[in-house]
Structure formats: structure tokens, C-alpha cells
Amino acid sequence: MVLSRDLLPLFLIGSEGEALKGERRRSRPEVVTNALRATDDRRLNLALYGFIDKGGKNNKVFRSWLRSAFSFPAEVARDERLSYQALDAFKTAQKVADALQVALRMLRPKMAAAPRERKNLRNSQRGETDALAGFWQRLEPSLARTFLDDLAEGKADAMKNLKGVLRSEARNAFKAAADPHRRDADGLFRIANASNYLERRLARLLPKEKNL
């Protein structure tokens, strides 16, 4: 299953011509543009089919079949202003995920030769992966559905609500990964450092609006 956050930007008019690596630029699939021209429905429903090549052992490449279904407000895809707001939100979510990933890595115990300590390190790395995957999984409904619907309906607090969800989910994911490290003083020290880093990044990426 391909996550909406990976492909939805392709369907938004605001992403047309976006600079990628080198001289490459993003181009919205023609089938999406034609569908938007042909439909008067408030929602656009698309199904994506294709293959993903995944690397394996001994330089072998395995091709896996994928199918993903998308449903989102057509108005957000058509309107350039709404598209840019959606794209900014997707980019902010990615930056929050990047900050969370750094904080999770800060929880890792020191490298050591003892078998038990190596096992603790492997467990910590698995915890990072699970926490980050859980973050995106829980965020998906709010980011790809609720937020886009709020934009289409013209709700002024759409971004404010999404920021609250991002802040909450990042903290929840960090707490779940940090709990197993609360066994000794060294673990508590790492948790404190990582938590301080994450809170600083969240404050910068998701500043709270001042009440007038």
C-alpha cells in the first residue's frame, strides 16, 4: 500500500512544475488533469496500479505489484492556493517526521561489544522503525482526509488543527519508543536529551498561534 502522503502531491495543481533533482520537474499525470476537467463531483476517486522494484540480496531486484485507492476533494486539486497550502502541510509533516527520527536515534544505547548490549541496540533500532511507522499510520487519516476536507470547506483553523495532531502524534510515538529505556540512569539521560531536542524542533516547526 502506497501512503497518500507520497502520491497525493502528484495530483495537486500546485505541484505542477515543482523542481526536483537536477533539471527534472514534477509533472501532474495527464489522466488526473483530464479527470478533473470531466467531473463535477466534489470528490475525485482514483485507483493507482503499478510495480515497485525493491532491492534484494546479491544485487537482485524484486518487483512487487501495488494497488492504492485515493479519494480527496477535487477543489483542492484544482485550486492553486489550496494546493499550495496542502503541499506546505505535507512538507511540514515530513519535517516533523525527520525530527522525530533524529530524536529516536538519540535514544540508542552506546555501541558495545557485550552480546547483551548489542541486543539492546538492535531492540532500540527496531523500536525506532516501529515508532516511525506508527506515527505515519496514525497521522494518515488526519493528513490525507480530514485536513484536505477542511481546506476544501474553507475552514480557517484547518492548519491549526493539523499542527495539533502532528504535535500530539510525534510526542506519542516518542513516548512509546522511550518507555523501554527507562531502566537505568543512562537510559533516562538519553530520554531527557532526545525529548529536549524533539520539543525544540516541534516548537520551531509547529509554532503556536498567539491569541490576539
Side-chain angles (χ1 to χ4, degrees):
M1 184 72 174
V2 177
L3 296 177
S4 300
R5 64 183 167 88
D6 296 323
L7 287 177
L8 270 179
L10 286 175
F11 308 146
L12 306 180
I13 188 63
S15 66
E16 185 72 27
E18 182 182 359
L20 301 175
K21 292 183 179 180
E23 297 182 356
R24 297 172 57 194
R25 291 189 173 273
R26 192 190 302 278
S27 177
R28 186 164 70 173
E30 189 66 23
V31 65
V32 178
T33 301
N34 291 337
L36 287 168
R37 290 171 180 164
T39 184
D40 293 326
D41 294 340
R42 295 183 61 184
R43 299 194 70 81
L44 185 63
N45 301 306
L46 297 173
L48 173 71
Y49 301 87
F51 293 96
I52 293 181
D53 290 336
K54 296 182 178 180
K57 294 182 179 179
N58 301 322
N59 295 322
K60 291 183 178 179
V61 176
F62 298 92
R63 176 164 288 184
S64 60
W65 170 257
L66 67 87
R67 177 189 181 279
S68 290
F70 300 94
S71 177
F72 55 94
E75 184 64 21
V76 176
R78 290 192 183 99
D79 188 283
E80 191 169 2
R81 180 181 61 85
L82 296 180
S83 286
Y84 279 125
Q85 290 182 38
L87 290 170
D88 284 343
F90 279 41
K91 291 175 182 177
T92 298
Q94 183 60 59
K95 290 177 181 177
V96 170
D98 292 342
L100 173 62
Q101 187 172 34
V102 172
L104 294 174
R105 288 175 179 170
M106 293 173 68
L107 294 174
R108 293 180 184 177
K110 296 179 181 178
M111 292 289 291
R116 181 176 179 179
E117 292 172 334
R118 289 201 301 268
K119 181 180 179 181
N120 290 339
L121 178 59
R122 289 194 298 271
N123 290 339
S124 178
Q125 291 170 333
R126 281 195 293 269
E128 293 171 22
T129 303
D130 293 343
L132 200 58
F135 167 78
W136 281 119
Q137 186 176 14
R138 291 188 299 271
L139 183 63
E140 191 85 359
S142 296
L143 181 62
R145 288 195 285 276
T146 304
F147 173 68
L148 294 182
D149 288 342
D150 287 350
L151 279 184
E153 295 171 10
K155 293 185 178 179
D157 57 354
M159 191 61 198
K160 179 181 177 181
N161 292 339
L162 180 62
K163 285 182 179 180
V165 174
L166 284 168
R167 196 179 292 112
S168 175
E169 292 300 346
R171 287 170 176 165
N172 289 341
F174 178 82
K175 182 179 183 302
D179 282 345
H181 296 274
R182 300 181 184 277
R183 299 191 184 98
D184 52 37
D186 184 61
L188 293 174
F189 179 76
R190 295 196 307 273
I191 291 173
N193 275 347
S195 178
N196 288 337
Y197 167 82
L198 180 61
E199 289 300 325
R200 288 196 303 270
R201 292 296 294 148
L202 291 179
R204 178 171 295 184
L205 294 170
L206 308 170
K208 294 183 178 180
E209 298 179 5
K210 296 181 179 179
N211 295 324
L212 299 178

